[in-house]
Amino acid sequence: MAQDGTSGTELAAAGDHDEAHAVSPGTAVVSSDAVRDPGLPPHRLRVTDTNPKKAKTAERAVYTLFYLSLAGSIFAVAAYMAFPIVPEDLLSVRLNNMFIGIGMTLALLGIGIGAVHWGKALMADHEAIDIRHPVRGTDETRARAVEIFDEANQESGFGRRSLIRNTLIGSLIAFPLPAVVLFRGLAPEGEDPVELLSHTMWEAGTRLARDPDGTPIKASDVTIGSVFHVIPENLPGSEHMLEEKTKAIVLLMRLKPEDLVEEESRKDWSYNGIVAYSKVCTHVGCPVALYEQQTHHLLCPCHQSQFDVANHAAVIFGPAARPLPQLPIAVDDEGYLVAQSDFREPVGPSFWERH
Amino acid sequence: MSTSTATRPETSVEKKSGGFTAAASNYLDERTSISAVVKEFGRKVFPDHWSFLLGEVALYSFVVILLSGTFLTFFFQASMAEVHYDGSYVPLKGVEMSAAMASTLDISFDIRGGLLMRQIHHWAALLFVASIGLHMMRIFFTGAFRKPRELNWVIGFVLFILAMAEGFTGYSLPDDLLSGNGLRIIDGMIKGIPLVGTWISFLLFGGEFPGTAIVGRLYTLHILLLPALVLLFIALHLVFVVVHKHTQFSGPGKTQQNVVGYPVLPVYAAKAGGFFFIVFGVIVLLATFFTINPIWNYGPYDPSPVSAGTQPDWYIGFADGALRLIPPHLEFVLFDRTWSFNILIPLGALGLFIVLAMIYPFIEAWVTGDKREHHILDRPRNAATRTAIGAAGLTFYAGLWAAASSDIIATHFKLTMEGVIHALQFVVIAGPFIAYFITKRICLALQKKDREIVLHGYESGRIIRLPGGEYIEKHEPIDEYQRWKLVSYHDYKPLMIRPNSRGKISVGQRARAALSRWFFEDRIAPPTRGEIEASHHHEDHVEIESSHQNH
C-alpha cells in the first residue's frame, strides 16, 4: 500500500478489499504523507504504429522467419536422409548430428523469433489492466465451508463416535506398513552386509596381478619408484567380478627402504621396500589412483584426500580420516608377489558397524 | 476472439454463417463449455519483465526434456547385463560393458539423430536446473515469496530438489566410468549415515556396490516416479500462479489491486509461445555444436581407473564441494560404532542450508508481522537485509560449488591443491559474513542515492558559475513517473517489545524483536510529499541566498 498513495487509515486495510477485514501491516511504516501514484504514464506509440512502412517491414520479417522455419524443417528431414550414419565412420555421425541439428534449430528459432516479433512489433500493445481480488474467500463462502464441515460432522458423527474415528486413523496409519516391509526384497536375503564389507578376495598365497589383464607380478619387476595397479590373480572371470574388484583393488609401490617408516608389528608386511595398500579411498570409496613418486603421496582425485605411502598411508590432507589399509605381502617360490592374508580390516568407506 | 463469441448460445443460431471454425467451436462448447474457459483466461493479463522469463525457461526446458527423453527411452536399455560392445565406435569394440552403456553408445553412434537427441536431453536438463536456480534468485531478491505466495515458494523449492534428483539419476544411467564413480560417492556417503547407512546402501544397490540392479532402479525413478512428481508440482505451481495472479514490479499506475500487462490473447500467447520455440531452438543449437557428456571418452564403469579432474555435473557440485572442504580426521569409533563426521557435517550443513532457504518466507513474515498481501515486487535495494542474507547464502553456495573443482582451479592457476582448499574453506565460512556486510552497505547506499535524486534531482551535467565565481552543478528534478519508482516501497521499523496481556514479555517476543532489530535497524525511509516540497523550497532559498551573499 504505500503505492496507493492513500492516507494512513486506508493503508492498513488496503491489502484486503474486504473492508471488514483490516489486516495488520505488522511493523511496516504507514505514512500519511506518502507520495501519490501518478497513474499509468501516457501510452507511447511504436514506430510500427506511426509508420506504415515500418509496419510493412516488420510484417515481412515475421513471415520471412516463418518461411525460414519451414525451410529448416524440410532441411532437417532431408539431412536425415542425405547424411546417413556409415558404420565405423565417426565423421558421418558428426555430419548427421550437425545437419539435422541445424535444420531443427532453424525450424524452431524461425517460429520462436517470428512469433515474438509479431507480438512485440505488430500486435496491439495497449496495456491491459486486471483487477486483483483477495486470495481469501469471501465471508459467505468461508462461513458456508465451515457449515458444510459441521453438517458432515453431524451427519457422520465423526467427532461424536470417537472409537470409530480413532480406529480409522489407526488403521490408516498401519495400512502402508506391509508396503514398507515389502521393500526388504530390494536387497538379497541371507547376506550380511557387514560380513561382506569386511572381507575381500585376497587370501594367503593369492598372487598380485596387473590390472586389468591379470598377469602376476614378480618382485624383481618392481623397480624403485614404480607403481602398479593390482588385482588378485583369480579376479578376472570370477563371479561378482565388479563387486569383488571394488573391494580388492590394490596399489603396489616400491620405495627406497630408508624412506619407509614402518611400525614394528608391520615390518614383515612389506618386501624389500615393496608395499601394497588398498586403492579404495577410506573417505567415500573412490579409487586413490594418483601417485606422486617424489613425495610418496597418494591423491584421491574425487575429494583430494592425500595419503603418505612412506608412513603407512596415513592421511595428511583432505576429508578422509583413516589410513589406507595395508595388504601384507610376501614372495612365493617362483618369485611372484603374493598376499600373506586378506586385509586385516575392512577396506573402503567407513560404515556404521565398522570398528 | 471471434471464435469464442461464436460459441455463445445466442449466436449459435446463426452458426451457419460462421463457417467451419464456428461450427467446430460450437460443437466443442456444447460438450465441454470451453467458452467459459476462454472467457476467463483469454484476456487474462500478464505483466512484462525479462526476469519473469526465467521461470518460463524452466518450464519450457522441462517440456524439451520430456520430448527428447521419450525418444531416448525407445532405444535405451536399462540393464546391467554384461555385453561385448559391437557398435560403430571402434576404440571400444569388443570391450565388456553393461547393456546400458552399450545402448547409450548405440544411440550416439548408430541411430541417426540419436546423438542429437541425447545432447538435447542433457543440455535441456542442465538448462532446467540452471533456470530454476535463477528463477528462485529472482523470487528471493524481489520478495515475491511474501504473502500469499509462501506455499508456492515451498512448492518451487521441492521442484528444485526434484530437478537435481532427476539430473543425478539421469546422469547415472549410461553406466559409464564417471557416472559409476558418482554412484560410488553416493554409496560411500550413505554408508556414513549412522545406524541405517549400511542397510540403505545394501537395499539401494541390491547387495554390494555396484551390483546389477542400480541402473534399472534409477531408470524407474528417472522416467516414472520423479517425472510424475515434477509434473504434479509444476501443475500445482502454475495453479497458484493463476490463483494469485502474477506479481509486478512497482511503477506508475501499478498497485496492489491491479495487474498491468498484456492479455493472453493475442500478445502474451505470441510472446510466451514464441519463447518456447526460442528456448527449444537454443537447446538444439547447443546440442548441434557442443558435445556434452562424451561417455565414449570415459569408457564403461570399472571400480579401478579414474582420471584426474573428475567432477560431477555442475548442479551437484555444491554437495561434492562440501565433502571436499571438511578437514581430516573427523571420524572416530565410539561405543564400537563408527561416527563419520567427515560425511555427517557436510550432509547436515547442506540440509540446514536447504531447510533455512525453504522456510525463509515464514521467518520474514514472522519478523515483519505483516499480514497484508504483497503483489508489488521489491527492488532488492529496498529490502537491504533480505538482499544481504541472499548474498550471504549465495556466497556459501558458490564457495561449496567452486570447491567441487578445487583440483582444476589448482592446476589451471598453478596453485597448490591445499592452498585452494584452505582458501575455499575461508570463503565458505567467512565469505557469507563479508558478502552480507558489503551487500547491505551497497543497498543502503543505493537507497540513499535514490532519496537524494528524489529530493534534489539528478545531476544534469550543466555547470553554472555564480556571480561570485562559485561553480555549482545544476540538479534537475525528475519527472513524477520516475520519481514514483524510487519512492514507492515498503519500509519497516524495528519491533518495539510490549508486554502481553498478562504483563509479561515472552521469549518468542524477545527473539522476534531481536530479529526485527537486525532486519530493520538500518533503514532509509522513502521520501514523503512534505520532504520533497521542503527540499524544493530549500533549494530555491539556497540559490537566492548564495546570490545575495555575493553581492
Side-chain angles (χ1 to χ4, degrees):
Chain A
M1 327 195 247
Q3 282 86 350
D4 300 325
T6 45
S7 74
T9 43
E10 281 163 302
L11 281 170
D16 198 318
H17 304 264
D18 198 344
E19 279 78 20
H21 304 283
V23 282
S24 161
T27 58
V29 180
V30 179
S31 168
S32 56
D33 191 27
V35 178
R36 282 181 199 285
D37 183 354
L40 271 186
H43 183 71
R44 282 173 60 184
L45 290 176
R46 295 164 301 184
V47 65
T48 43
D49 294 325
T50 52
N51 186 343
K53 245 189 181 160
K54 296 280 179 192
K56 192 76 204 159
T57 313
E59 193 183 337
R60 221 174 283 139
V62 172
Y63 67 67
T64 308
L65 281 162
F66 288 161
Y67 270 131
L68 206 64
S69 164
L70 206 60
S73 294
I74 294 166
F75 180 82
V77 174
Y80 186 90
M81 295 184 263
F83 297 95
I85 288 178
V86 182
E88 303 186 9
D89 177 10
L90 284 186
L91 184 68
S92 70
V93 177
R94 188 179 289 235
L95 292 178
N96 179 271
N97 187 74
M98 192 174 77
F99 285 116
I100 297 178
I102 289 174
M104 284 176 64
T105 305
L106 272 182
L108 293 163
L109 288 183
I111 298 176
I113 298 172
V116 171
H117 191 44
W118 183 9
K120 282 178 89 89
L122 291 173
M123 290 183 186
D125 80 329
H126 278 281
E127 286 87 357
I129 296 178
D130 263 2
I131 299 303
R132 287 181 196 275
H133 306 285
V135 176
R136 107 200 267 283
T138 60
D139 282 349
E140 301 88 78
T141 313
R142 288 158 64 105
R144 179 65 193 131
V146 170
E147 211 175 82
I148 288 173
F149 279 125
D150 271 346
E151 284 165 13
N153 188 21
Q154 291 296 326
E155 290 167 17
S156 66
F158 189 81
R160 197 157 26 90
R161 301 183 173 115
S162 58
L163 202 56
I164 288 188
R165 181 193 63 212
N166 295 348
T167 47
L168 174 67
I169 293 172
S171 52
L172 284 176
I173 292 171
F175 100 93
L177 286 180
V180 175
V181 174
L182 283 176
F183 279 104
R184 169 61 184 87
L186 284 173
E189 286 174 45
E191 284 183 10
D192 175 13
V194 178
E195 179 66 19
L196 284 167
L197 290 172
S198 303
H199 298 287
T200 74
M201 269 187 96
W202 294 104
E203 46 190 61
T206 307
R207 277 184 179 160
L208 278 67
R210 287 180 183 82
D211 180 22
D213 56 16
T215 50
I217 303 165
K218 276 201 160 138
S220 53
D221 295 342
V222 186
T223 53
I224 286 180
S226 63
V227 58
F228 285 75
H229 297 265
V230 170
I231 51 175
E233 191 188 9
N234 51 350
L235 178 74
S238 67
E239 213 190 341
H240 304 305
M241 212 277 279
L242 281 182
E243 290 76 39
E244 291 301 340
K245 189 171 183 182
T246 301
K247 293 184 292 184
I249 43 176
V250 158
L251 276 173
L252 186 76
M253 289 137 297
R254 185 163 172 203
L255 280 66
K256 287 184 198 141
E258 64 266 28
D259 286 344
L260 215 49
V261 184
E262 291 183 291
E263 278 173 33
E264 208 48 51
S265 59
R266 282 158 76 169
K267 269 236 162 16
D268 60 342
W269 287 18
S270 61
Y271 176 80
N272 207 9
I274 304 174
V275 286
Y277 286 97
S278 166
K279 193 180 165 184
V280 193
C281 187
T282 56
H283 179 220
V284 284
C286 285
V288 186
L290 308 177
Y291 180 56
E292 202 179 44
Q293 198 190 42
Q294 296 303 315
T295 54
H296 321 301
H297 291 171
L298 280 170
L299 173 78
C300 178
C302 289
H303 301 103
Q304 266 83 71
S305 291
Q306 291 177 36
F307 304 88
D308 184 7
V309 176
N311 194 15
H312 285 315
V315 178
I316 50 173
F317 189 78
R322 289 177 291 107
L324 297 171
Q326 187 174 4
L327 182 72
I329 54 167
V331 168
D332 68 6
D333 306 340
E334 297 169 54
Y336 288 107
L337 290 166
V338 294
Q340 290 182 27
S341 68
D342 194 357
F343 289 98
R344 304 287 168 87
E345 56 179 313
V347 299
S350 301
F351 52 94
W352 174 243
E353 296 85 350
R354 184 187 199 284
H355 56 87
Chain B
M1 295 307 293
S2 61
T3 50
S4 82
T5 43
T7 55
R8 288 199 185 138
E10 62 264 32
T11 54
S12 66
V13 194
E14 28 179 355
K15 68 184 173 204
K16 284 243 161 60
S17 61
F20 175 76
T21 316
S25 309
N26 178 53
Y27 182 93
L28 230 100
D29 188 48
E30 284 177 354
R31 282 152 188 85
T32 60
S33 77
I34 197 160
S35 62
V37 178
V38 177
K39 177 170 173 263
E40 181 66 27
F41 296 110
R43 284 297 221 177
K44 193 177 161 55
V45 168
F46 279 91
D48 237 5
H49 192 266
W50 66 265
S51 69
F52 300 165
L53 297 180
L54 295 168
E56 281 185 46
V57 175
L59 179 66
Y60 299 152
S61 49
F62 183 66
V63 174
V64 176
I65 290 173
L66 285 183
L67 294 175
S68 55
T70 305
F71 178 86
L72 295 176
T73 58
F74 295 144
F75 301 95
F76 179 68
Q77 291 172 25
S79 153
M80 292 173 90
E82 285 293 312
V83 296
H84 288 272
Y85 176 66
D86 187 30
S88 275
Y89 188 65
V90 179
L92 288 177
K93 252 194 194 300
V95 171
E96 219 174 286
M97 59 179 68
S98 63
M101 172 84 180
S103 60
T104 312
L105 288 171
D106 288 343
I107 291 172
S108 307
F109 292 115
D110 289 290
I111 291 161
R112 277 187 263 181
L115 180 62
L116 187 69
M117 276 298 175
R118 242 198 82 218
Q119 302 204 122
I120 288 174
H121 194 65
H122 204 120
W123 277 120
L126 295 181
L127 188 64
F128 182 48
V129 191
S131 53
I132 291 178
L134 291 172
H135 176 59
M136 286 168 71
M137 278 156 65
R138 198 280 289 174
I139 300 291
F140 184 89
F141 286 112
T142 59
F145 54 75
R146 289 170 298 169
K147 189 184 174 184
R149 296 182 179 78
E150 302 99 320
L151 297 180
N152 222 15
W153 165 265
V154 175
I155 291 170
F157 214 98
V158 171
L159 276 169
F160 180 55
I161 293 167
L162 285 173
M164 289 193 289
E166 272 285 38
F168 188 81
T169 51
Y171 178 78
S172 303
L173 291 181
D175 202 23
D176 59 289
L177 186 60
L178 272 189
S179 72
N181 253 309
L183 283 173
R184 179 57 166 157
I185 294 169
I186 293 289
D187 172 55
M189 283 172 74
I190 292 174
K191 281 186 174 136
I193 299 171
L195 209 64
V196 291
T198 313
W199 269 101
I200 291 180
S201 153
F202 221 61
L203 290 166
L204 181 64
F205 290 91
E208 275 190 284
F209 178 87
T212 51
I214 188 69
V215 166
R217 288 177 183 177
L218 292 180
Y219 190 57
T220 306
L221 294 178
H222 184 73
I223 70 161
L224 182 71
L225 194 62
L226 290 172
L229 286 175
V230 171
L231 273 177
L232 175 73
F233 277 86
I234 286 182
L236 270 176
H237 204 62
L238 295 182
V239 163
F240 279 119
V241 170
V242 171
V243 169
H244 297 145
K245 292 199 165 88
H246 207 289
T247 51
Q248 56 192 351
F249 274 99
S250 107
K254 297 175 182 178
T255 72
Q256 299 282 11
Q257 281 84 36
N258 70 10
V259 192
V260 181
Y262 297 101
V264 165
L265 289 176
V267 177
Y268 190 76
K271 283 191 186 177
F275 190 54
F276 164 71
F277 286 97
I278 292 178
V279 170
F280 199 166
V282 168
I283 293 170
V284 176
L285 189 69
L286 282 168
T288 304
F289 290 105
F290 299 96
T291 305
I292 186 78
N293 201 23
I295 51 154
W296 50 91
N297 285 346
Y298 313 144
Y301 179 61
D302 179 328
S304 181
V306 66
S307 51
T310 57
Q311 43 187 341
D313 263 357
W314 72 266
Y315 47 84
I316 301 293
F318 74 108
D320 196 57
L323 283 179
R324 293 188 188 209
L325 291 183
I326 288 297
H329 307 303
L330 280 174
E331 180 188 283
F332 47 83
V333 174
L334 185 71
F335 307 124
D336 249 14
R337 291 288 180 258
T338 298
W339 301 78
S340 302
F341 280 96
N342 51 354
I343 286 157
L344 293 176
I345 292 174
L347 281 182
L350 293 181
L352 188 70
F353 177 66
I354 285 170
V355 168
L356 279 179
M358 184 136 76
I359 64 170
Y360 181 81
F362 306 100
I363 300 175
E364 196 184 295
W366 179 61
V367 171
T368 62
D370 192 344
K371 300 276 187 286
R372 302 169 299 181
E373 287 185 10
H374 292 273
H375 302 293
I376 300 268
L377 296 171
D378 279 329
R379 296 167 82 211
R381 70 184 60 172
N382 290 332
T385 306
R386 178 204 299 146
T387 304
I389 291 174
L394 282 183
T395 309
F396 178 74
Y397 181 93
L400 295 179
W401 185 68
S405 305
S406 60
D407 47 344
I408 295 186
I409 295 173
T411 52
H412 204 82
F413 296 102
K414 308 214 182 329
L415 302 163
T416 64
M417 206 94 82
E418 296 82 354
V420 172
I421 292 282
H422 288 315
L424 288 172
Q425 283 170 338
F426 177 79
V427 167
V428 165
I429 292 167
F433 293 96
I434 299 170
Y436 174 87
F437 284 109
I438 294 178
T439 310
K440 185 147 180 185
R441 287 301 125 189
I442 290 176
C443 286
L444 291 172
L446 287 171
Q447 275 182 277
K448 276 186 190 165
K449 191 195 85 182
D450 286 350
R451 204 181 147 81
E452 188 69 22
I453 290 173
V454 170
L455 293 180
H456 306 296
Y458 65 92
E459 294 168 355
S460 64
R462 208 149 57 83
I463 311 288
I464 296 173
R465 198 177 89 164
L466 296 178
E470 180 192 1
Y471 288 90
I472 58 162
E473 183 178 4
K474 181 84 179 135
H475 282 229
E476 297 284 357
I478 52 174
D479 71 39
E480 58 176 347
Y481 300 115
Q482 284 173 315
R483 187 175 71 194
W484 177 247
K485 263 192 164 171
L486 304 183
V487 300
S488 58
Y489 65 88
H490 282 286
D491 175 38
Y492 294 88
K493 60 177 187 292
L495 174 73
M496 291 272 269
I497 312 186
R498 292 208 178 78
N500 63 12
S501 53
R502 284 179 300 153
K504 288 206 169 128
I505 293 172
S506 66
V507 180
Q509 272 274 319
R510 274 182 210 285
R512 194 182 147 205
L515 275 175
S516 174
R517 214 162 36 243
W518 174 45
F519 263 77
F520 303 121
E521 204 162 38
D522 299 319
R523 65 190 190 91
I524 313 275
T528 57
R529 270 181 290 164
E531 282 174 314
I532 294 172
E533 264 165 46
S535 84
H536 288 334
H537 285 310
H538 178 70
E539 254 152 44
D540 295 344
H541 194 61
V542 168
E543 263 180 48
I544 295 160
E545 190 106 299
S546 56
S547 49
H548 270 302
Q549 271 172 6
N550 295 304
H551 277 292

